Amino acid sequence: MLNKANRKLYRSLRGEYKKYARRLKDTLFDCCRGKDAVNDSLSDVFIMLAEAQSARRAFADVISDPHAGIRETALCFPARKMRRNTAVILCLCAALVLLGGSAVAIELSGDVWLSQPVPYYDAEQNTVYWQPVEHAQAYTISINGSEVGTTGETIFRLENAPEEFIVIQVTATAGGRYRESSGFVDYRPTAPETHSVDRSFSLWQLFLNGATATFSYPAGLCESIRIEIVPEVNAYVKIEGTVLGLYEGSLETSTEKLGQPLETNKYVLLRAETNYLLLLDPQPDHSDAEGIVRLADPLAIAEEGVPLPDGQTLFATEDPDREENIAMTADGFRFAYMEYVIDLGSPSELQWMDSFYPQHLGGDHGDHFWLVDNLTQERPLVLTDRLQEIDVSTERKSIEVPAGWSTYRFSIAKEQFGSDFKNWKYLMLYTNTNDALELRRPTAEKVEFHVSHGSLAACNFIFYPRVFETDPITFTISVFNPSESAARIAYEIMPEISLTQEALSQGTLTLQPGITYVENETAALIMARAEQEFSAHEYTFLRLDSYNLIAAQYFPFEQYAYFFNPYDEPIVLTLTAYVPGTG
Amino acid sequence: MGTDAQLNKGVLEGCVLRLVKDAFLFSSEIVAAMRACGFADFSEGTLYPMLLRLEKDGCFIVARKPSGNSPPKKYYKLSERGLEKLEIFEEQWNDLTRNIANVFAEKESDHAEQGQ
């Protein structure tokens, strides 16, 4: 299994890069010994793929021959003791058979590679033949990884006729400076015994790489493919691909005792502590055998009205980057977000909340996993919007936001701007406090603002009223309160003050809490001073918590400035005409 | 895989060994250097199994440098064993090219005689 660092790298890959990485890791873990060595090599490859992907290089430019790359990498590791009919080893052998021919070796050291034997198997004679290899002194014959004999000739008769699929390996050896070389041929009896690829997964392992688990095996190399799923918690999934059926049962259950398959044309419930067996169609002819297990979206399940069992059910949100995400809640349910599917045996790391938001972290974070905990008996998940409509004006107001997620639709009537308004307006949102000292202390439980396409790191939402066709103008913003108790947020349209000569002559300006735009309509350069520290700049603050970087008790400005009062009470600015150089 | 590809494979290994003889290089640096030398089709897909094989053969000194939140990047430089391999490759390559040149020179002189 991938180590933590490799998991992270692997998840960053997309498209052809991810497909190649998946096949490579599956092949290496299935075929090769030495999990740590495999992980070490995979990290090199994943770093290389991630860098190429970041540089937007075409996959074919980086990996021109994926099959050769996987094959040659796998050959660098000692092989695992061959499990019965492991499909991936069969792929490697089939690929090596296709190579054929002899290898021309350029000597790179005192060692010399012998040419590769090309064995042929005569089923009627039960005999293996090969052309002589120059400098070879002996040949070792192995069947399915186990040595069966050695000969100095180029012919070897097998003791027993094979009754199942076999891979015959002929290794030319010479000793001294000559390095051995192997050739392979496989043989499938006309009436093969049943053999299978058997793999078992918990939900954590199944969805380690995302909300969709895909199994892919080349055509014609497996007799049966069985995927066992052992859920730690409940899960609603959708099954797609070349699937024979999904059954209640385990790898220990014989086919005859499997019973009726579950319905998989819609979402199917996997119950905790019940084993399931997914049988894929081996596809003897042309296409690859493929099975897809996809986690359901809680919104889709809620829409269908299917019941959730009591206890925890695992979900993943589809397409979290929707145009408008609304926070939701449900009576008798609680929700916990996971960036990755964690080891569900250690639930203490989870933060439970009574609300759910499809795009919890905002931005492009890939799949979003949720655990939904039904605190009562089995019943449908009924989600209701946690949405509140709020009118916004230049008058500063505040509201209490509950713990977890809430969505607010801020409504701004155009009439408040009159017919002659400045170009840009700002919807200002402030977290629970503007206290100057508090802003200097990192706090773990700061309220966050989110819009559908990312978080609102800035405290302001700039808009241009004329481009909006609707009246009032509305913005839907979701708020995450990470603490367990309610918090308070404030909101307003950024106040704008025109500083006339008359106002300047009064000598003072009262600055309300928050950010205020001040336009200087006098011809003078103005110096603003206060007894307390404040902040000011020619453009709006991107982050309020950067206040402490530029706080001062004075600020000169010429045409306009944005002033930030970080306190909860108004402060008074003293304004004087300022002549540079006079202090 | 045809003979040309097999020949190419041995030659590419020798070139990679030469590139990391004097300095630690990262895989993408090796690819860039090979392409700059005219191996336009040389890619990471060709390189990384080669590096894996040569590393297991003891041809490299490997240094790992931290890389942010990602696993450390591996930088490669020739070890003593790698140096031995490189020296043998250079010797054999020189022999090979000299022999080929001799063959072509001989054939050209045959043609010249026949032309007379």
Side-chain angles (χ1 to χ4, degrees):
Chain A
M1 299 302 292
L2 291 176
N3 59 28
K4 189 176 176 184
N6 281 345
R7 276 206 299 274
K8 193 169 179 183
L9 275 173
Y10 178 76
R11 285 174 63 89
S12 73
L13 299 173
R14 297 284 181 265
E16 292 291 322
Y17 286 100
K18 181 128 187 194
K19 196 174 170 184
Y20 179 76
R22 183 179 69 238
R23 287 190 173 175
L24 176 66
K25 79 165 174 69
D26 285 348
T27 302
L28 294 185
F29 281 120
D30 279 351
C31 298
C32 305
R33 270 193 288 132
K35 191 175 70 172
D36 291 339
V38 167
N39 261 302
D40 191 46
S41 292
L42 282 175
S43 74
D44 296 338
V45 178
F46 288 176
I47 289 174
M48 171 199 76
L49 293 175
E51 289 195 348
Q53 180 179 265
S54 298
R56 300 185 188 279
R57 290 175 60 195
F59 176 76
D61 183 48
V62 180
I63 309 286
S64 55
D65 190 344
H67 291 296
I70 294 174
R71 179 183 64 243
E72 293 193 26
T73 305
L75 288 174
C76 293
F77 292 90
R80 292 182 74 150
K81 187 175 178 183
M82 183 167 176
R83 284 180 293 189
R84 193 168 179 237
N85 306 314
T86 300
V88 179
I89 289 183
L90 302 179
C91 291
L92 281 178
C93 295
L96 286 167
V97 166
L98 290 175
L99 277 179
S102 60
V104 175
I106 299 287
E107 295 179 4
L108 294 183
S109 67
D111 295 348
V112 178
W113 278 268
L114 295 172
S115 296
Q116 190 177 28
V118 181
Y120 301 91
Y121 175 68
D122 184 335
E124 285 187 8
Q125 302 293 326
N126 196 26
T127 301
V128 188
Y129 302 87
W130 57 92
Q131 292 293 321
V133 173
E134 192 179 6
H135 304 302
Q137 293 174 356
Y139 303 91
T140 302
I141 294 84
S142 304
I143 303 293
N144 291 348
S146 299
E147 190 175 317
V148 297
T150 304
T151 178
E153 299 177 339
T154 58
I155 180 172
F156 185 86
R157 187 180 175 84
L158 303 184
E159 193 171 319
N160 300 307
E163 296 176 352
E164 59 181 20
F165 185 96
I166 58 168
V167 176
I168 304 168
Q169 176 181 353
V170 176
T171 303
T173 60
R177 55 198 284 266
Y178 291 100
R179 298 190 71 165
E180 66 184 37
S181 177
S182 293
F184 298 83
V185 64
D186 66 272
Y187 170 72
R188 182 193 310 277
T190 53
E193 288 181 13
T194 300
H195 58 273
S196 61
V197 169
D198 290 344
R199 300 182 74 179
S200 181
F201 297 88
S202 62
L203 290 181
W204 166 51
Q205 293 165 331
L206 194 64
F207 299 112
L208 187 66
N209 300 320
T212 301
T214 304
F215 302 93
S216 182
Y217 295 90
L221 293 179
C222 309
E223 292 302 319
S224 75
I225 304 164
R226 305 190 300 168
I227 310 295
E228 180 187 52
I229 303 173
V230 186
E232 310 93 302
V233 298
N234 306 310
Y236 263 105
V237 298
K238 204 167 227 183
I239 307 292
E240 295 170 6
T242 55
V243 171
L244 292 175
L246 175 69
Y247 302 81
E248 278 195 28
S250 71
L251 292 176
E252 309 300 324
T253 313
S254 65
T255 309
E256 298 78 31
K257 292 187 179 176
L258 280 178
Q260 289 298 314
L262 305 178
E263 274 190 73
T264 53
N265 56 345
K266 53 185 181 180
Y267 285 113
V268 61
L269 174 65
L270 305 180
R271 291 185 182 268
E273 298 175 7
T274 302
N275 287 19
Y276 296 88
L277 204 58
L278 179 67
L279 303 188
L280 303 190
D281 187 344
Q283 294 289 296
D285 298 323
H286 303 294
S287 3
D288 290 353
E290 188 174 71
I292 299 169
V293 183
R294 198 190 314 275
L295 267 178
D297 186 321
L299 295 177
I301 291 300
E303 273 178 33
E304 293 191 13
V306 295
L308 254 62
D310 62 314
Q312 297 173 11
T313 305
L314 180 66
F315 289 99
T317 48
E318 290 178 4
D319 186 23
D321 194 21
R322 296 187 182 88
E323 192 57 39
E324 185 176 87
N325 280 304
I326 305 287
M328 279 162 280
T329 186
D331 282 341
F333 290 87
R334 58 177 188 166
F335 306 86
Y337 173 83
M338 297 177 291
E339 189 174 0
Y340 307 101
V341 179
I342 64 169
D343 184 351
L344 294 167
S346 58
S348 58
E349 299 172 17
L350 298 170
Q351 178 192 7
W352 290 101
M353 50 188 128
D354 65 355
S355 55
F356 155 75
Y357 183 65
Q359 197 183 23
H360 179 80
L361 289 182
D364 180 17
H365 281 266
D367 296 318
H368 292 52
F369 297 95
W370 288 88
L371 268 181
V372 178
D373 194 5
N374 181 0
L375 303 170
T376 62
Q377 75 279 9
E378 181 164 312
R379 61 206 172 102
L381 173 66
V382 179
L383 292 169
T384 54
D385 290 348
R386 200 187 236 186
L387 173 67
Q388 185 175 341
E389 307 272 355
I390 294 179
D391 292 329
V392 188
S393 68
T394 54
E395 180 186 353
R396 185 184 177 93
K397 292 183 182 174
S398 68
I399 51 169
E400 208 171 65
V401 297
W405 283 100
S406 306
T407 302
Y408 300 92
R409 187 163 288 135
F410 294 94
S411 187
I412 305 162
K414 285 185 180 178
E415 64 180 5
Q416 63 186 297
F417 303 122
S419 58
D420 180 25
F421 51 82
K422 295 289 187 289
N423 291 332
W424 298 95
K425 301 295 175 187
Y426 291 84
L427 166 62
M428 306 302 298
L429 300 168
Y430 298 97
T431 54
N432 38 320
T433 181
N434 292 327
D435 182 81
L437 291 178
E438 186 64 29
L439 285 172
R440 289 178 179 178
R441 276 197 296 266
T443 171
E445 294 189 333
K446 194 178 288 186
V447 169
E448 300 168 14
F449 300 105
H450 288 257
V451 292
S452 287
H453 298 280
S455 66
L456 201 59
C459 65
N460 55 74
F461 204 88
I462 186 171
F463 64 98
Y464 188 58
R466 284 207 176 105
V467 303
F468 284 86
E469 295 179 354
T470 59
D471 187 8
I473 300 164
T474 60
F475 296 103
T476 303
I477 296 171
S478 294
V479 179
F480 180 60
N481 175 6
S483 72
E484 292 182 353
S485 54
R488 189 156 280 276
I489 65 168
Y491 57 92
E492 63 180 356
I493 298 297
M494 182 194 292
E496 298 170 4
I497 295 177
S498 293
L499 192 63
T500 60
Q501 191 61 49
E502 182 183 348
L504 179 61
S505 65
Q506 290 179 357
T508 60
L509 175 68
T510 300
L511 202 62
Q512 299 297 324
I515 296 178
T516 303
Y517 172 78
V518 177
E519 183 153 355
N520 180 9
E521 294 188 357
T522 74
L525 183 64
I526 308 282
M527 174 64 82
R529 297 178 195 273
E531 290 182 0
Q532 309 92 328
E533 282 187 343
F534 62 95
S535 289
H537 212 289
E538 287 103 18
Y539 45 82
T540 56
F541 294 82
L542 291 179
R543 298 184 67 89
L544 283 186
D545 56 7
S546 62
Y547 153 78
N548 57 309
L549 299 176
I550 54 175
Q553 290 174 282
Y554 61 91
F555 182 77
F557 66 104
E558 188 175 358
Q559 292 181 332
Y560 60 86
Y562 295 86
F563 286 86
F564 176 40
N565 170 2
Y567 310 103
D568 292 327
E569 297 296 327
I571 62 175
V572 175
L573 296 179
T574 304
L575 305 176
T576 52
Y578 171 59
V579 177
T582 60
Chain B
M1 193 184 285
T3 303
D4 288 346
Q6 286 293 349
L7 182 68
N8 218 26
K9 183 178 163 185
V11 168
L12 293 176
E13 275 197 1
C15 291
V16 167
L17 290 173
R18 178 62 185 88
L19 285 176
V20 297
K21 179 186 173 190
D22 300 317
F24 281 100
L25 292 183
F26 176 55
S27 58
S28 60
E29 292 172 326
I30 298 172
V31 170
M34 289 290 282
R35 289 186 170 188
C37 289
F39 291 100
D41 294 334
F42 192 82
S43 67
E44 286 83 345
T46 311
L47 177 64
Y48 82 79
M50 191 187 295
L51 289 179
L52 184 57
R53 193 166 53 244
L54 292 171
E55 184 185 351
K56 286 184 180 297
D57 216 20
C59 293
F60 296 130
I61 303 168
V62 177
R64 294 168 190 270
K65 292 190 181 177
S67 176
N69 292 328
S70 301
K73 283 187 183 178
K74 286 167 75 167
Y75 289 74
Y76 301 88
K77 189 168 181 279
L78 274 199
S79 64
E80 286 294 324
R81 176 164 170 77
L83 195 57
E84 287 170 14
K85 271 183 183 272
L86 176 62
E87 286 170 355
I88 292 171
F89 170 77
E90 281 180 310
E91 185 182 328
Q92 291 176 343
W93 178 255
N94 290 334
D95 288 344
L96 183 64
T97 52
R98 185 178 55 246
N99 295 342
I100 292 173
N102 289 341
V103 167
F104 275 73
E106 187 167 324
K107 282 300 174 188
E108 277 175 10
S109 109
D110 285 350
H111 284 141
E113 285 175 7
Q114 287 167 11
Q116 287 175 353

